[in-house]
Amino acid sequence: MFEHNTHEAVLSGMLGRIPAGISKHEGTFTYDVSSAFAVELAMAYTQLDRLLRLGFAGSSSGIYLDMRANEHGLTRKAAVKAYGQITVTGSNGAVVPQGTVFATATGTRFTTLTAVTIPAGGSAAVSVEAEKAGSTGNAAAGTVTQIPVSVAGISMVTNGLPLTGGYDAEDDAGLLGRLLLRVRNPSTSGNAAHYKQWAMESEGIGDAQVFPLWNGPGTVKVVLLTPDKRAPSADAVNTAAAYIGQERPVGAAVTVAAATEVPINVSVDVALSGGGTLAGVKSAVENGLREYLKSLAFADPVVRYTRIANIILDTAGVQDYTALTVNGGTGNIAVAEGSAAVLGMVAVT
């Protein structure tokens, strides 16, 4: 709106208002003073243009988007730490104090939540949480193997199960999506929009489908997805169920469940071009397919064969393709309500 107010435009307007008979050529006192003032005015107009964009939710960001969301009772979901159990092995009677640090080989650190004493069997389980909140704290089974600071009598550590539950702070897109959902779909008295809002206010939940009267009068089913459009963990589902249970109208029987994942397996033969490698093309195809499937989750119930074909053909390094199959066939894949298509096995030869 203010982009036309450049230094040159502002300066021209200022000089145009100087009375006749006063020299205003470049290098004169009048010109130099006006030029300096025009620079500051042009910068102010630039900030006004930015301020105008930040005032609208769709073009806002950061703390300014937080302010707009707060007007409607929404706050950005904070990052959450991953947690779980590890098994510590050592000599009988050795003590692992609360706050002891263990880590993965890549440097992700976890601290023990309680103290534990190694029994005669030589190993004990102890609960831990990641030092830092966020998805980087999630660790696959068998990856917590490091003891950064030695503990007397402790010889080994591992995690038999994954450490999960770590979520990043809600990004601008996620917060904007919830804000628009609240504004465009007014929620009242426990209607479907209300249940969706409650579900998405829970940590680790990025989308939800609501099925009123799914099992008769007074019943509601809420199916959940993570922000990455995957089925959430049991803990995330239980947390969401507890929150919805606190907010729901009295008398409603609510079932909360994770979405059913439908693996999409793709096999294709490609002809390479432009110096592309099979490994590079496979990785790029997987990324493209993953983003496509995310866009479908709870929005479009059909995985289209032709769209997958286009993704492959548009991948850098691919000249052509043959023998494309999706879940073993050459047709579209229908995804049932309450389910989400996710990337399965990809074979690129």
Side-chain angles (χ1 to χ4, degrees):
M1 180 173 289
F2 301 104
E3 61 273 5
H4 63 282
N5 293 304
T6 62
H7 167 252
E8 292 77 11
V10 173
L11 177 59
S12 177
M14 293 177 67
L15 295 177
R17 289 172 172 78
I18 302 295
I22 298 178
S23 178
K24 47 190 175 182
H25 297 294
E26 186 173 356
T28 64
F29 176 79
T30 300
Y31 181 94
D32 290 346
V33 170
S34 299
S35 179
F37 191 35
V39 168
E40 295 300 320
L41 280 177
M43 292 173 61
Y45 278 121
T46 299
Q47 293 304 313
L48 281 175
D49 198 44
R50 177 172 177 267
L51 182 62
L52 183 63
R53 292 195 302 272
L54 292 173
F56 293 91
S59 53
S60 190
S61 62
I63 61 172
Y64 304 101
L65 180 58
D66 288 335
M67 293 176 185
R68 290 307 313 272
N70 286 340
E71 294 176 359
H72 296 273
L74 293 178
T75 56
R76 190 184 299 268
K77 290 187 280 189
V80 179
K81 293 182 178 180
Y83 60 92
Q85 280 197 334
I86 61 172
T87 300
V88 183
T89 301
S91 57
N92 183 20
V95 176
V96 179
Q98 180 180 354
T100 300
V101 176
F102 299 101
T104 66
T106 56
T108 303
R109 293 160 61 97
F110 299 86
T111 57
T112 56
L113 299 178
T114 59
V116 65
T117 301
I118 304 299
S123 64
V126 60
S127 296
V128 296
E129 70 175 9
E131 276 193 342
K132 296 181 179 179
S135 60
T136 56
N138 296 324
T143 58
V144 181
T145 57
Q146 307 298 307
I147 309 175
V149 179
S150 62
V151 181
I154 301 304
S155 58
M156 188 176 71
V157 61
T158 189
N159 58 315
L161 296 173
L163 302 180
T164 60
Y167 299 103
D168 295 326
E170 188 173 30
D171 60 14
D172 286 346
L175 180 57
L176 175 61
R178 289 200 297 125
L179 174 58
L180 295 180
L181 176 67
R182 173 163 293 194
V183 173
R184 295 173 178 175
N185 301 276
S187 56
T188 55
S189 305
N191 63 358
H194 222 160
Y195 279 96
K196 183 168 183 174
Q197 288 181 15
W198 291 328
M200 292 177 63
E201 287 169 3
S202 187
E203 302 295 344
I205 304 303
D207 204 354
Q209 271 189 334
V210 179
F211 302 94
L213 308 178
W214 77 284
N215 196 29
T219 65
V220 180
K221 186 173 185 179
V222 184
V223 181
L224 308 176
L225 281 174
T226 68
D228 290 331
K229 308 301 182 182
R230 298 296 300 261
S233 67
D235 287 338
V237 172
N238 291 337
T239 299
Y243 180 73
I244 293 172
Q246 294 173 354
E247 303 294 329
R248 64 169 174 77
V250 174
V254 183
T255 299
V256 181
T260 301
E261 293 189 347
V262 179
I264 301 299
N265 304 310
V266 176
S267 177
V268 64
D269 294 336
V270 297
L272 301 177
S273 68
T277 65
L278 205 57
V281 165
K282 182 177 185 292
S283 177
V285 167
E286 288 176 338
N287 290 336
L289 293 175
R290 193 174 289 112
E291 292 304 312
Y292 169 57
L293 296 178
K294 283 183 181 180
S295 72
L296 299 181
F298 287 0
D300 187 339
V302 179
V303 179
R304 290 173 170 79
Y305 179 89
T306 53
R307 285 294 304 275
I308 291 177
N310 288 338
I311 290 170
I312 294 169
L313 196 57
D314 291 341
T315 299
V318 174
Q319 183 178 47
D320 204 352
Y321 72 90
T322 57
L324 170 62
T325 62
V326 179
N327 283 8
T330 56
N332 296 338
I333 305 298
V335 179
E337 287 186 326
S339 301
V342 300
L343 188 63
M345 300 296 295
V346 177
V348 179
T349 56

